[in-house]
Amino acid sequence: VDHDQPLFKLLDEVQHHVKNPTKGDGVVYWMRMQDMRINDNTALSLASEHAQKAGLPLLVLFILSPQDYVAHDRSARRVDFTLRNLKSMQESLSPLNIPLCTFLHTPRTTLPERVIALLSQWNATHLFANIEHEVDELRRDIKVCQLAKKGEKVQCAFVHDKCIIPPGVVKTKEGRAYTVFSPFFRAWLPHLEDKPDPLAYRPAPQANNESIRSHDTYGKLFSMPVPEVVEGFELAKDDAEQMRTCWAAGEDIAKEMLRRFLYTKSRSSQMGEVDPLAEGAKEAEKNPAKDSRIGKYNVARDKVNADTTSRLSPYLAAGVISARECIRATVVLYGNKNGKVDASRETGIGRWVQEVAWRDFYTHIVANFPRVSMGRPFLEKFADVKWETNEEHLQAWKDGRTGVPIVDAAMRQANTMGWMHNRVRMVTAMYLVKDLMIDWRLGEKYFMETLIDGDLASNNGGWQWSASTGVDPAPYFRIFNPYTQSQKADPTGEYIRHYVPELSQVRGDGP
Ligand code: FAD
């Protein structure tokens, strides 16, 4: 098996073999866990456009697949967030007369057959979906295309959407994928200018409402409920409440989070368990380019005792907002008259654009080198490292009981809030791998099981960076000192005192 064969290219080949169907009753957009929005959604826009042209009703399909969640170590928080966003989507789609049909399916191995059976039941002509770059998902979609081709009734279109610039577009002179971030970013940046107007990306309301709602097959789909829970992924009551407070669902919330980041100031002591939108309604700063969170991002982003970053990762990971829209809004606000932003590391705006580009970079890596998502280090020379197996140490790390204050505070932030600041993700990851000498894959798994923003590509990229096994990694001999990291990231000790109550009486006024 060639573990470096980019499967998304295979998917491209398979889908083009299906004959163009002419007769049928509907068009289906298959929504997945990574594209839960109506605005700026490539597959949904294409499906809507096609349905309009063909005069056919559009249906949105979502399949809950618990066995996939187990296989991908999905956190119950992420599954709960999915259900909450589904409800929000249903509310937005209903006035457009577009039904959202949610099904639960096991076993995961027969999911392609289930999709084809539904398409056949609905006599659909077309299936549109955004590509998911994980290996299992690509294999599943290839199978769907093959089955569709056999039946010769449905045309499948799997399209790129997750990244701002799709994998395969940004290449070295030799036609290869970049494996170092800086040259990748330089080649990536000029493509930003090709992006069309976001308004072109909204599905149109369904015409002929009455007949769709009274249609024998489709009418009843409008009243299909979104399940409250998925068995095996239930949240404890207080955790569910906490997640709802910290991470409310829906596109409007994600947009408001973006607005808050682009226009408003960071508060110095905002530890996160409070609703991050509480301050969102504040007036925009007089000089947002300098004073807003994004304006100060280059200097303040590493401070963990303040609310300095966008906190958009749960929304970007679930696709509740697109990364394209984040960058477009930034360019509209801060770009020059040619629509360009200063992308240098010296400005807050440029630095943020770079961070968002890391998300593309790591997804391109998973797309081009699938082995990294199959538990392999990118640098194969590190495949045979003998890791420590010390259950007690691993558990102490997970629980935030290592005795190293910044590590414990960060792990407790993850355990209570389902999210962690980037700087302490690196500190805790390095501590597990290079101080406790525990296999990075165990840390990668725990983050996925705990965080609400778990994203295979970014998580794997972050862990392999910290473990020095990945693309463009920290050199293996670079080991963060958690105490000096702590002095820089949390100079007054406020973050530590907040999350580690045992230390709440310890004074620390910083340097
Ligand atoms: P901001 O600083 O406001 O950045 C904006 C967006 O850019 C983020 O929401 C994210 O989508 C993207 N981004 C920023 N930094 C990175 C980065 N280093 N790599 C990839 N994308 C980035 N991010 C996830 O979204 N999901 C994960 O599962 C995840 N696991 C990580 C594990 C480790 C060990 C490390 C070191 C990093 C991980 N990251 C992950 C990246 C990063 O820590 C988070 O994206 C960031 O902390 C989210 O906070 P924010 O939305 O306020 O980010």
Side-chain angles (χ1 to χ4, degrees), residues 96-112:
L96 303 176
N97 288 302
I98 303 173
L100 170 76
C101 327
T102 307
F103 294 91
L104 187 117
H105 184 81
T106 48
R108 68 201 284 244
T109 45
T110 59
L111 210 145

Side-chain angles (χ1 to χ4, degrees), residues 50 68 70 78 82 212 234 247 309 316 377 410 453 460 471 502:
H50 186 84
D68 276 308
V70 172
R78 177 78 199 273
T82 302
I212 293 174
E234 298 86 353
W247 312 108
T309 64
L316 282 164
D453 68 7
N460 182 271
V471 281
E502 302 94 294

Side-chain angles (χ1 to χ4, degrees), residues 261 297 309-313 316-317 352 355-356 358-359 362 419-422 425-426 429 447-448 451 453-455 458-459 462-463 466:
F261 179 67
Y297 186 77
T309 64
S310 71
R311 301 196 181 192
L312 275 166
S313 54
L316 282 164
W352 197 64
E355 288 309 309
V356 179
W358 274 97
R359 177 177 179 272
Y362 282 143
W419 181 87
M420 209 197 267
H421 191 285
N422 182 59
R425 288 191 207 214
M426 295 194 287
F447 271 23
M448 282 304 277
L451 299 175
D453 68 7
D455 169 77
S458 299
N459 193 41
W463 273 96
S466 309

Side-chain angles (χ1 to χ4, degrees), residues 78-97:
R78 177 78 199 273
V79 175
D80 173 66
F81 193 53
T82 302
L83 296 176
R84 288 190 284 128
N85 278 298
L86 272 174
K87 278 199 183 144
S88 167
M89 292 277 313
Q90 197 169 40
E91 282 161 22
S92 311
L93 287 167
S94 183
L96 303 176
N97 288 302

